[in-house]
Amino acid sequence: MARFVLSLHSAPSDHDTTQRLYKFALACLAQGHAIDAIFLYQHGVFHASEHINLATDELAIKSLWQQLHQHNINLMLCVTAAEKRGLNLATTGVFSVAGLAEFAMLASEADKWVQFK
Amino acid sequence: MARFVLSLHSAPSDHDTTQRLYKFALACLAQGHAIDAIFLYQHGVFHASEHINLATDELAIKSLWQQLHQHNINLMLCVTAAEKRGLNLATTGVFSVAGLAEFAMLASEADKWVQFK
Amino acid sequence: MSTLHIFSKPISYYDNARLVNLIQPQDKVLLVSDACYSINLYRQLAASLLVLAEDASARGIDIVKPDECQNYADFVALTLSTSQSITW
Amino acid sequence: MSTLHIFSKPISYYDNARLVNLIQPQDKVLLVSDACYSINLYRQLAASLLVLAEDASARGIDIVKPDECQNYADFVALTLSTSQSITW
Amino acid sequence: MINVLVLSQHAPFDDMHIRDALDMTLIFAAIEQNISWLFTGPAVLALKKGQEAESLGLKNYFKSIKTLEIYDVENIYVCEKSLIDYNLDINDLIIEAKALDFKAQRDLITQQQQVINL
Amino acid sequence: MINVLVLSQHAPFDDMHIRDALDMTLIFAAIEQNISWLFTGPAVLALKKGQEAESLGLKNYFKSIKTLEIYDVENIYVCEKSLIDYNLDINDLIIEAKALDFKAQRDLITQQQQVINL
């Protein structure tokens, strides 16, 4: 069993990267690995907006995050990156607002850090 | 006197493009030209977030938009692009929520459309 | 000691003159997303390319030898069998 | 009939093999932002490059002949003296 | 009526670039301007036959591109050189498009009032 | 303690790429990991002397890069080939950095537990 951290760097309009991160995360869990955190950085922070409401034929972004959350994965949002980009930090849904240091510590303890962008 | 429309395609984290759009707009007005609209499209829509609060040594993005607004420039936000990106359309400050058609009509009547990205 | 190199865009998005010098013969090159479109052009980076099957299939791209299909379980395994990964 | 071509990134960001074929001798090439860093490399697109003075100056770049400094008033005038502009 | 050219240069799934360009093209057609759309570089891949995004869980916007024909958007152009780069032929495309060499692309640009690079 | 490499490839004012990489580098130094930062392609321009962003109304993050020395971040590397591409010399840089040829860059990558491309 290995310990992973994943980071997402692209905006929610990049549906393709979002679905790939989700599937990679599920494949990790299916193999019995642990995901210590998924971290939103750079434009990835926009995923924590509560106003993402897409048509039914679009990728169900909100639901994917809900599912990862139900797997007890720590979904973290970089506070510095989010403030610079005008995200509302009062309502970030399943994401917890975290400093870069918190994530860097988890990344230092993990076996693997895989970036998605 | 010519009629311009401008569009902004990059996110508020792209400070350099933001200041260039602002200075170009002021230079247009200084020469007696009209700016019929500035339109936020693609990642540019994130400029309409009311949560952009930067440190004092950073570009004063909010204040730049306020100034352009005080020059009576029509600041428009593309509703389709904004919805896809999770922007809160209830509070868009100096930006008016507009359809692509509204902007396209203004662009068709303008002499020049200059993109910033 | 090998590195996993992950590409998600056609090779024209990258500075391949520089990249080709950073990839070693024992390294693995995984193509995902729109990188699948330019398998032939990625050949300069590795003799055998690994391609995420789902992504290639959605784009109507067939994977033929010497390239290899990978599913998500393989993708996870690849990150573990290599010493480090780089998402370019 | 000439076109204004606006670049804001170093030329390595673009597919210059393609671009060089889309720019005509009578066209104007304006470098702003980080495009100012690679004036020499943009030479293949035009004999004389126009450079936004403020942007070059902040980056510690000197503009010398045959290239020409432009201020924002010039930039606005350029969009009006050309038939169309493209922000690449 | 003015001539407007939408320029696409991004790969099919690079953010929403092609979808944004599609929206822009359809709107200009709807307000009855003379709209053209030029695909160049990896953007030509957005017109490649045999693709479907649903298997990835994504909206199949390739189907939406086909609606260009319903809305009578006829000026669809592809860069001839880019087709060759990606081993494509005009018959491999999901809609009717004209392949343009560089000279024809330069002429197309020259005829426009506005050129929008998305 | 693990070896972490931050990789920068973007131009100095391209969104916040270099600033995001700086934040990441400083944090790993703060939590006492063995952090390295490699500038390659147009990113080497972020280290060029004689720049100041205030005249544009922007934060002068070049000054913040200098704080790397205060925080004892010593493993700053630049791609030798990229310096040449942009007519720069190691003495034209605002901080002390080691120029690496491709062989040395490959070795640097091999020594890492994590490589983060920002």
Side-chain angles (χ1 to χ4, degrees):
Chain A
M1 198 209 88
R3 290 169 63 186
F4 280 84
V5 293
L6 312 180
S7 60
L8 177 58
H9 302 259
S10 54
S13 47
D14 183 352
H15 292 187
D16 189 46
T17 300
T18 307
Q19 61 89 21
R20 196 160 39 255
L21 166 76
Y22 167 77
K23 289 174 188 167
F24 184 92
L26 290 192
C28 277
L29 299 179
Q31 290 183 28
H33 304 305
I35 299 174
D36 289 348
I38 299 178
F39 192 61
L40 306 183
Y41 198 51
Q42 299 181 314
H43 282 9
V45 298
F46 292 120
H47 276 272
S49 164
E50 58 167 358
H51 298 280
I52 300 176
N53 297 307
L54 302 177
T56 51
D57 59 346
E58 298 275 9
L59 183 69
I61 297 179
K62 251 192 177 157
S63 151
L64 302 190
W65 289 118
Q66 282 290 348
Q67 290 172 53
L68 295 174
H69 178 66
Q70 278 157 21
H71 280 103
N72 289 314
I73 299 174
N74 186 8
L75 304 177
M76 299 168 83
L77 168 72
C78 175
V79 59
T80 321
E83 278 175 348
K84 284 175 182 167
R85 287 169 176 83
L87 204 86
N88 181 6
L89 290 173
T91 56
T92 58
V94 294
F95 296 93
S96 61
V97 179
L100 209 47
E102 269 180 80
F103 179 72
M105 278 190 273
L106 290 170
S108 303
E109 287 160 17
D111 298 298
K112 295 290 166 186
W113 176 353
V114 185
Q115 289 183 286
F116 288 84
K117 57 180 176 181
Chain B
M1 197 209 89
R3 290 170 62 185
F4 281 83
V5 293
L6 313 180
S7 60
L8 177 59
H9 302 259
S10 56
S13 46
D14 182 352
H15 292 188
D16 190 46
T17 300
T18 308
Q19 61 89 22
R20 197 160 38 256
L21 167 76
Y22 167 77
K23 289 174 187 167
F24 185 91
L26 290 193
C28 278
L29 299 179
Q31 290 183 27
H33 304 306
I35 298 174
D36 289 349
I38 299 178
F39 192 60
L40 306 182
Y41 198 50
Q42 299 182 314
H43 282 8
V45 297
F46 292 121
H47 275 272
S49 165
E50 57 166 358
H51 297 281
I52 301 177
N53 297 307
L54 302 178
T56 51
D57 60 346
E58 297 275 8
L59 183 70
I61 297 179
K62 250 192 177 158
S63 151
L64 302 189
W65 289 118
Q66 283 289 350
Q67 290 172 54
L68 294 174
H69 178 65
Q70 278 157 21
H71 280 102
N72 289 315
I73 298 174
N74 185 9
L75 304 177
M76 298 169 83
L77 167 73
C78 175
V79 59
T80 321
E83 278 175 347
K84 283 176 181 165
R85 287 168 178 84
L87 204 86
N88 181 5
L89 289 173
T91 56
T92 57
V94 294
F95 296 93
S96 62
V97 178
L100 209 47
E102 270 180 79
F103 179 73
M105 278 190 272
L106 290 170
S108 302
E109 287 159 18
D111 297 298
K112 295 290 165 186
W113 175 353
V114 185
Q115 289 184 284
F116 288 84
K117 57 179 175 180
Chain C
M1 296 285 278
S2 71
T3 305
L4 173 64
H5 301 273
I6 305 167
F7 295 93
S8 62
K9 299 280 189 291
I11 203 163
S12 60
Y13 275 69
Y14 307 98
D15 181 354
N16 50 341
R18 198 156 39 75
L19 272 179
V20 75
N21 289 296
L22 295 179
I23 294 176
Q24 314 207 42
Q26 72 273 25
D27 286 353
K28 305 282 185 191
V29 174
L30 175 68
L31 308 184
V32 305
S33 187
D34 289 343
C36 301
Y37 287 117
S38 54
I39 294 183
N40 291 338
L41 299 170
Y42 274 105
R43 184 79 54 212
Q44 58 186 296
L45 301 186
S48 166
L49 299 159
L50 308 173
V51 186
L52 193 60
E54 259 192 41
D55 288 7
S57 164
R59 289 165 180 79
I61 311 278
D62 294 325
I63 314 302
V64 292
K65 285 279 165 197
D67 304 322
E68 282 177 44
C69 280
Q70 305 284 300
N71 61 25
Y72 276 93
D74 300 327
F75 185 178
V76 171
L78 264 174
T79 64
L80 293 169
S81 64
T82 47
S83 303
Q84 59 280 123
S85 72
I86 307 180
T87 303
W88 291 99
Chain D
M1 294 287 278
S2 71
T3 304
L4 173 64
H5 301 273
I6 305 167
F7 294 93
S8 62
K9 299 279 189 292
I11 202 163
S12 61
Y13 275 69
Y14 307 98
D15 181 355
N16 50 340
R18 200 156 39 75
L19 272 180
V20 75
N21 289 296
L22 295 180
I23 295 176
Q24 314 207 41
Q26 72 273 25
D27 286 352
K28 306 282 186 190
V29 174
L30 175 67
L31 308 184
V32 304
S33 186
D34 289 343
C36 301
Y37 287 117
S38 55
I39 294 183
N40 291 338
L41 300 170
Y42 274 105
R43 184 80 53 212
Q44 59 187 296
L45 301 186
S48 166
L49 299 159
L50 308 173
V51 186
L52 194 60
E54 260 192 40
D55 287 7
S57 164
R59 288 166 181 79
I61 311 277
D62 295 325
I63 314 301
V64 292
K65 285 277 165 200
D67 304 322
E68 282 175 44
C69 280
Q70 304 284 300
N71 62 24
Y72 276 93
D74 299 328
F75 185 0
V76 171
L78 265 174
T79 63
L80 292 169
S81 64
T82 46
S83 303
Q84 60 279 124
S85 72
I86 306 179
T87 303
W88 289 98
Chain E
M1 190 162 89
I2 64 162
N3 297 340
V4 180
L5 174 66
V6 169
L7 204 60
S8 284
Q9 303 195 88
H10 290 268
F13 293 90
D14 181 355
D15 204 83
M16 292 207 171
H17 286 282
I18 304 286
R19 294 179 59 180
D20 293 335
L22 174 65
D23 289 348
M24 196 63 89
T25 300
L26 288 173
I27 278 291
F28 274 100
I31 64 168
E32 298 187 338
Q33 302 297 328
N34 185 29
I35 185 78
S36 302
W37 189 1
L38 171 61
F39 293 78
T40 170
V44 299
L45 294 160
L47 300 180
K48 181 183 167 290
K49 276 182 189 163
Q51 306 192 81
E52 42 82 36
E54 291 102 330
S55 65
L56 299 173
L58 309 180
K59 177 176 169 130
N60 198 345
Y61 80 85
F62 303 109
K63 260 190 214 159
S64 320
I65 289 180
K66 285 196 174 182
T67 63
L68 287 166
E69 288 171 344
I70 301 168
Y71 292 104
D72 283 332
V73 179
E74 285 169 0
N75 305 325
I76 308 293
Y77 302 102
V78 289
C79 168
E80 198 175 53
K81 170 68 166 63
S82 305
L83 284 182
I84 296 167
D85 287 348
Y86 290 101
N87 277 315
L88 292 172
D89 187 86
I90 206 82
N91 300 310
D92 297 327
L93 308 183
I94 53 173
I95 51 170
E96 217 173 289
K98 294 169 210 72
L100 300 185
D101 62 16
F102 288 122
K103 163 82 171 68
Q105 289 176 54
R106 290 194 300 268
D107 291 345
L108 179 65
I109 289 170
T110 306
Q111 292 155 20
Q112 308 303 316
Q113 270 81 59
Q114 320 286 8
V115 182
I116 304 310
N117 181 16
L118 295 171
Chain F
M1 190 161 89
I2 65 162
N3 297 340
V4 180
L5 175 65
V6 170
L7 203 60
S8 284
Q9 304 195 88
H10 290 269
F13 293 90
D14 181 356
D15 205 82
M16 294 209 169
H17 285 283
I18 304 287
R19 294 179 58 179
D20 292 335
L22 173 65
D23 289 348
M24 195 63 90
T25 300
L26 288 173
I27 277 291
F28 273 100
I31 64 166
E32 298 186 340
Q33 302 297 328
N34 185 29
I35 185 78
S36 302
W37 190 1
L38 172 60
F39 293 77
T40 169
V44 300
L45 294 160
L47 300 180
K48 182 182 165 293
K49 275 183 189 162
Q51 307 192 80
E52 43 81 36
E54 291 102 331
S55 65
L56 299 173
L58 309 181
K59 178 179 167 124
N60 199 345
Y61 80 85
F62 302 109
K63 262 191 215 159
S64 321
I65 289 180
K66 285 197 175 183
T67 63
L68 287 166
E69 289 171 345
I70 301 169
Y71 292 104
D72 284 331
V73 180
E74 283 168 2
N75 306 325
I76 309 293
Y77 303 102
V78 289
C79 168
E80 196 174 56
K81 169 70 166 60
S82 305
L83 283 182
I84 296 168
D85 288 347
Y86 290 101
N87 278 314
L88 292 172
D89 187 84
I90 207 84
N91 300 311
D92 298 328
L93 307 184
I94 54 174
I95 51 169
E96 217 173 289
K98 295 168 211 70
L100 301 184
D101 63 15
F102 289 122
K103 163 81 171 70
Q105 290 177 53
R106 290 195 298 268
D107 290 345
L108 179 66
I109 288 170
T110 306
Q111 291 155 20
Q112 307 303 315
Q113 269 82 57
Q114 319 286 10
V115 182
I116 304 311
N117 181 16
L118 294 172

